[in-house]
Each structure stands twice: as structure tokens, then as C-alpha cells.
Amino acid sequence: MMTVAPARAEILQLYRSFLRVARKFPDYNIREYAKRRTIDGFHHNKSLSDSSSIAQAFSDAKAEFQIAERQALVYSLYAPKFRSIMDIPNR
Amino acid sequence: MTFSKHLVSKLRNLPLISQTLTRSLSTAAAATATAPPPPPPLDDPDSISMKGVRISGRPLYLDMQSTSPVDPRVLDAMLPFFVSQYGNPHSRTHLFGWESESAVETSRSQVARLINASPKEIIFTSGATESNNISVKGLMHFLRSSKRHVITTQTEHKCVLDSCRHLQQEGFEVTYLPVEKDGLIDLGKLRDAIRPDTGLVSVMMVNNEIGVIQPVEEIGKICKESNIVFHTDAAQALGKVPIDVQSMNIGLMSLSGHKIYGPKGVGALYIRRRPRVRVEAQMNGGGQERGIRSGTVPTPLVVGFGAACDVAMKEMEYDDQRIRGLQERLLKGIQDRVDAVEINGSAERRYPGNLNLSFRFVEGESLLMGLKEVAVSSGSACTSASLEPSYVLRALGVDEEMAHTSIRFGIGRFTTEEEIDRAVELTVKQVLKLREMSPLYEMYQQGIDIKSIEWAQH
């Protein structure tokens, strides 16, 4: 069974959606982690050439993206009243 | 009784300082010492006031050894078990029980995979404290007719030391091995302490206060040669340093959920099957978890723990590299601008996410009071309620004043470079401010050896 690797455009679309969702987290640490981990994760897999491993990496990323979407919503529902001191400018 | 001792012991009593010091105080200290604080504005959206401290936002978190935030991937795995799949895993007669049991077994294998064990060797408990209790008391009670001696270290977690004290009251003998200046035990002393009736050696893998990594492989080998069960408290080590119960010859291991970005209230005990290690249960009841720990297994927490172990296995290398870099940044940032800073514990054999520093000529409480925007800890959470300095630092031979000024920075998966930079800035600022007021520091800068001074009796 030969898994078809996703097209480059599809991968980039997932990457951009992932970063968009990452920005939605109200918690400073989780937000920064999600952004950083997405960038590092996609960069790390950039050099993959074998189509089944690309497909595997893509489906893993897609599953993580769905987790991030759900959790961004949950974290927004329970965002604390006061933001982290790192989110407050010029202090 | 001199001026400086007056200062160090009564630093909290601010009006006294303003009367006795002849130099001008920094403006911030002067403002708080002389004028009463203005009444807080009624509608201040960005200001939290608790325990007399007012800060403009939630502090940045650098206390990963006391607990860690729950990873969103872990929370995602747990929520369905609070919302719809709420069955008791021990109910054998309906779907709710079956799906709950299946989730618990999946988690069991996730935990086992992280430590290279079989799922049959994992027992879920309420945390590492309970696992430590089962290991120390449960094992020795089982062996009470043949083995009467336990070897542990002076830097173990309070629950292990307290369990050993309990055993001593029952008539067992316990040897508390001393540690060297770098926090590591001397393997020769361990060998010498072993007796024919030694039943257990308990040495924690990564210390929660100072972060040193004990030579677990060597200890495991010594225990295997003498046929003694080796117990290690791996609460701080799980998911951070690679653990292999086979190569390390571990017989019992305590694991904790909330140190690896999992939920609080769950942990596990690894208990070896070949050769079989047997313990007496501490929680009696319906015989759940192979009779070792009765009580309903908390499915959502266990699922969270399993998911945390799974995430940790995937992220261990990435996190380790990052945290190493962040620790170097923190250490360099502080050491570049402040002198007379000492790292407590070995600098080489340490887990990078734990940095315990002592600042000479600075009073510990006032240092912490000025660091309210950084959530750090001084000494471990378990001992900070009392006023005495940490027993771990005392075991290292750190003198009392340095023990009082120790700060433990905990770096984790979610820590950012900006947080490290901010923590460095705040720490350095506070240390420099306090040192400016310290006459002892002035003497040190002039080259006087404080220890050689003969204080006059008044």
C-alpha cells in the first residue's frame, strides 16, 4: 500500500493554520511553545524525502493540529483574569 | 553585637534600617520604608494583590521542580473521561467499565514504554509519595523476618526519610549515607554500609532541590551483586533523563505525574517481576492493582499520566537540548553581572532544568520578597513552611547563611528565552540592591576575610 504524500501546498497550508491556532492560546507559555514547536517541527521534517515518512509526519501533524484547535478553545474559555507579566508591555 | 549582625537579622524591620544606616537608601526602599503605600485604585484591571504583595500580572513560572503546567495534549486526552467516558475501570459488566479499563491499560503501556518495563510491572498510585511509602515500608514489612537494614541517603525526599524513621521506630536499622560536596554519594561508602541483613537501598535518581543525578547504573550493579532490592525515586527524572530499568537493575521505582506536565494526584510504582519483588500493601481494600494498591483507579488522571509519558518520550531530546541552552543563558546572565554566586550541587552531573544558586552577602527572605514577579522557590516546597534551612543543603556542607540565600530556578518545556532574560534582570537587580546595603559585602570587596574577623562582645 503506497501512501500518497501530501502536496507541498497542503503542507504549507497546515503550517500556516497551525501557527494561526497557536496564536489563539491566551496563556503566554503555551502560546509561545505552540508557535516555536510548530516552526521547529516543520523545519526538522523539511529534509524528509521518502513519501511514506512524509505522509506519516503530515498525518501526525494534522492530529496535533486538531488537538491544538480544541485546546485553544478550552484555554480561552478558562483564561485567567490577569495575564502573565510577560504579556504586559513595557514592564 | 555589631551593626552588620543587627542588619542581617533585622532586615525585615525596615524602620530600624532607616534609622541606623547613614548612607542614603535607594529610592524604592526609601519610599516603602517611610511613606505608607497609596490606597489601591478601585478598578485596576492589571493588578493582583495577595498576602500583602501587589503585582501587575501573573508571575513568570520558574518553579518546575515543585510542579509543572499540564501540557495541552495531556488535557485533551483527559477531558473525554471527565465528560462522557466516566465509567469505573473495575466494572466488568458494561461498556462504561470496559472502555475505562481499556484506557487504563493503554496508559499503563505508555508509562512502561518510557522506562523500558513491562506494563504488568506498573501499579498506579496517588503519586510518588505513596509509591515511596509502598516501596520503603511495604518492602521491609514483607521482608521483616529476614532483613532488618535499609540504606538511604541524607538528601532523599522527605517521604522516604520519614518512612525510614517510621521503620526505625518499629525496630529496623537505617543507614543514612552522607553525600559529598557535590551532592553525589560515594560508592565506596555504599559498599561498606551493606550488611548481610540489608533489604533495601533507596537512592533518588535526580534530586528535587539541587538537581544532581546520582550514579544509578553503578548503584544498581552493586545492589545486584549483593542481591539487594534497589529502589529509586524517579519523580524528577521521568521523561527528562533516559531511564532503563533493565540496564539500571532497578527493583522498585516511584514515578510522579505532575512533574512531567501531567495532572496532579496520580503517580505510579514500578515493581520488578523478574526476579520478583514483593511488597506488603499499604492501602487495603478490593485488591485492585494486583493487590498492591486497592482503590478505584482514577481513569482521567491515569489517562493524563499515560499521555504525559507518551509526549515526554517524543519530546525528550528536543526539550533536553532547549533546556540545556536556557540553563546556560540563565547562569551566564547572572554570573556575568554578579559575583560571589555559588551553584549548589555538581555542575556536571546535573539535570539542566534545575539550577540552585546561593548568593553570598544577601539575605534570603528579602531576596525572595523582591522577586515576586518570578515564581521561584528557596529550598523545596515541602520544607519551606519551616524556617530552618534545607536539610539537603546542610547535607552538602553549605553553611547556614548560604543555605538561606539559595534560590532554585526550575526551567521546563514551556520556558522561553524572554522569561530567562527577565528572571536574570530581576534577580541581578535585587541582588545588587541588597548588596549595596550590605556592609559585609563592602568588607568583602575591600579584601577582608569575614571569617577571620573577631567580633567584639558588647
Side-chain angles (χ1 to χ4, degrees):
Chain A
M1 187 189 76
M2 188 59 184
T3 37
V4 179
R8 184 189 151 82
E10 228 182 312
I11 298 176
L12 283 177
Q13 195 188 37
L14 180 62
Y15 179 67
R16 266 178 265 131
S17 319
F18 219 136
L19 287 179
R20 228 175 298 133
V21 147
R23 278 193 282 269
K24 291 213 183 93
F25 278 97
D27 180 284
Y28 165 79
N29 292 98
I30 308 286
R31 184 188 337 129
E32 292 301 310
Y33 175 76
K35 286 196 291 191
R36 190 184 349 121
R37 192 68 187 89
T38 307
I39 295 172
D40 289 346
F42 276 79
H43 274 223
H44 184 253
N45 288 329
K46 207 161 77 163
S47 53
L48 287 176
S49 50
D50 161 45
S51 94
S52 62
S53 57
I54 297 179
Q56 179 65 43
F58 183 77
S59 68
D60 288 345
K62 197 139 185 133
E64 300 247 333
F65 168 71
Q66 285 162 352
I67 295 178
E69 262 189 320
R70 288 195 291 268
Q71 291 310 308
L73 184 57
V74 170
Y75 275 70
S76 315
L77 292 172
Y78 289 95
K81 188 163 169 224
F82 296 102
R83 293 176 292 166
S84 161
I85 218 153
M86 302 298 294
D87 274 338
I88 296 170
N90 65 27
R91 263 302 280 130
Chain B
M1 247 340 102
T2 64
F3 173 81
S4 54
K5 214 149 181 176
H6 208 43
L7 180 72
V8 166
S9 65
K10 298 229 163 81
L11 198 64
R12 246 182 246 132
N13 208 339
L14 288 174
L16 203 59
I17 291 178
S18 60
Q19 287 165 29
T20 52
L21 282 181
T22 51
R23 283 169 284 169
S24 57
L25 293 167
S26 66
T27 48
T32 50
T34 51
L42 285 168
D43 217 338
D44 193 351
D46 261 336
S47 179
I48 315 173
S49 177
M50 256 186 129
K51 298 205 186 236
V53 173
R54 173 170 290 278
I55 38 177
S56 48
R58 297 182 68 77
L60 63 96
Y61 192 75
L62 281 185
D63 198 12
M64 294 292 171
Q65 279 70 40
S66 71
T67 188
S68 52
V70 173
D71 192 298
R73 291 163 281 198
V74 168
L75 185 61
D76 193 71
M78 286 168 64
L79 284 172
F81 295 91
F82 282 121
V83 171
S84 52
Q85 299 175 14
Y86 48 78
N88 183 323
H90 313 294
S91 304
R92 296 177 165 278
T93 57
H94 47 70
L95 176 72
F96 289 95
W98 305 330
E99 69 190 359
S100 193
E101 186 189 13
S102 157
V104 167
E105 293 312 309
T106 306
S107 294
R108 211 185 290 276
S109 50
Q110 283 171 323
V111 176
R113 218 176 315 139
L114 188 54
I115 57 175
N116 191 23
S118 148
K120 295 185 185 160
E121 295 171 314
I122 303 290
I123 305 287
F124 287 114
T125 62
S126 68
T129 298
E130 185 183 345
S131 302
N132 281 331
N133 269 266
I134 298 175
S135 304
V136 175
K137 293 191 299 202
L139 180 76
M140 290 316 287
H141 284 167
F142 186 80
L143 297 174
R144 62 159 65 90
S145 46
S146 51
K147 306 285 186 184
R148 305 295 297 177
H149 182 229
V150 175
I151 300 176
T152 183
T153 71
Q154 287 175 0
T155 53
E156 288 300 300
H157 194 266
K158 262 274 155 73
C159 52
V160 172
L161 294 178
D162 209 51
S163 303
C164 289
R165 192 155 41 108
H166 189 258
L167 286 178
Q168 274 181 302
Q169 283 172 350
E170 291 179 342
F172 289 86
E173 279 167 45
V174 181
T175 301
Y176 299 94
L177 289 175
V179 291
E180 308 298 306
K181 279 209 81 73
D182 59 0
L184 301 168
I185 62 161
D186 183 333
L187 293 168
K189 288 191 183 138
L190 169 63
R191 276 207 189 83
D192 293 338
I194 291 177
R195 300 177 351 192
D197 66 342
T198 302
L200 176 69
V201 167
S202 176
V203 180
M204 69 193 323
M205 203 177 285
V206 173
N207 188 288
N208 55 318
E209 276 200 53
I210 50 182
V212 297
I213 305 178
Q214 298 288 355
V216 173
E217 291 91 346
E218 286 85 343
I219 300 172
K221 203 162 9 131
I222 294 173
C223 291
K224 188 168 181 185
E225 287 164 9
S226 318
N227 218 357
I228 302 173
V229 176
F230 176 32
H231 165 250
T232 179
D233 178 355
Q236 297 286 344
L238 182 68
K240 299 181 178 146
V241 298
I243 301 177
D244 184 341
V245 294
Q246 301 307 326
S247 67
M248 294 173 175
N249 287 311
I250 296 173
L252 288 163
M253 185 159 69
S254 309
L255 309 170
S256 170
H258 69 110
K259 305 280 167 40
I260 53 164
Y261 315 97
K264 293 175 194 38
V266 68
L269 172 66
Y270 160 78
I271 175 163
R272 182 176 274 274
R273 292 193 68 175
R274 286 205 183 90
R276 187 177 285 260
V277 173
R278 297 181 67 180
V279 297
E280 217 178 68
Q282 302 292 302
M283 291 281 288
N284 302 110
Q288 287 85 6
E289 295 295 284
R290 300 180 184 276
I292 296 176
R293 203 272 182 188
S294 297
T296 303
V297 172
T299 311
L301 298 178
V302 156
V303 164
F305 186 22
C309 290
D310 198 41
V311 171
M313 196 153 73
K314 296 187 189 131
E315 303 280 336
M316 206 185 319
E317 207 187 298
Y318 176 82
D319 284 345
D320 184 64
Q321 226 173 343
R322 246 196 117 247
I323 291 173
R324 230 170 259 281
L326 288 176
Q327 192 212 38
E328 276 165 25
R329 197 184 177 114
L330 176 62
L331 194 53
K332 189 166 187 306
I334 291 181
Q335 283 180 327
D336 276 352
R337 290 161 66 184
V338 163
D339 64 338
V341 176
E342 266 152 50
I343 305 177
N344 294 316
S346 160
E348 298 82 31
R349 281 202 63 105
R350 97 179 355 252
Y351 167 58
N354 181 329
L355 188 61
N356 192 313
L357 301 175
S358 277
F359 299 91
R360 208 175 275 285
F361 312 113
V362 166
E363 214 270 322
E365 290 261 341
S366 25
L367 178 55
L368 271 188
M369 269 170 27
L371 284 181
K372 278 309 155 209
E373 291 178 346
V374 185
V376 286
S377 122
S378 140
S380 76
C382 320
T383 59
S384 59
S386 65
L387 287 175
E388 53 176 69
S390 139
Y391 62 91
V392 173
L393 294 179
R394 211 167 341 120
L396 287 184
V398 174
D399 61 31
E400 283 215 8
E401 275 163 29
M402 288 295 268
H404 272 298
T405 74
S406 74
I407 299 236
R408 178 186 69 187
F409 294 96
I411 305 171
R413 181 185 290 163
F414 301 111
T415 313
T416 64
E417 280 90 353
E418 289 81 18
E419 284 182 313
I420 296 289
D421 292 339
R422 178 78 76 93
V424 164
E425 187 194 306
L426 289 168
T427 309
V428 165
K429 195 167 89 170
Q430 185 69 5
V431 168
L432 291 178
K433 184 168 103 176
L434 289 173
R435 283 211 175 137
E436 206 194 336
M437 293 197 280
S438 166
L440 279 179
Y441 184 62
E442 210 181 287
M443 286 198 268
Y444 163 77
Q445 278 183 310
Q446 289 167 3
I448 303 171
D449 177 18
I450 310 284
K451 299 227 188 312
S452 67
I453 298 175
E454 298 212 1
W455 303 104
Q457 300 296 320
H458 280 237

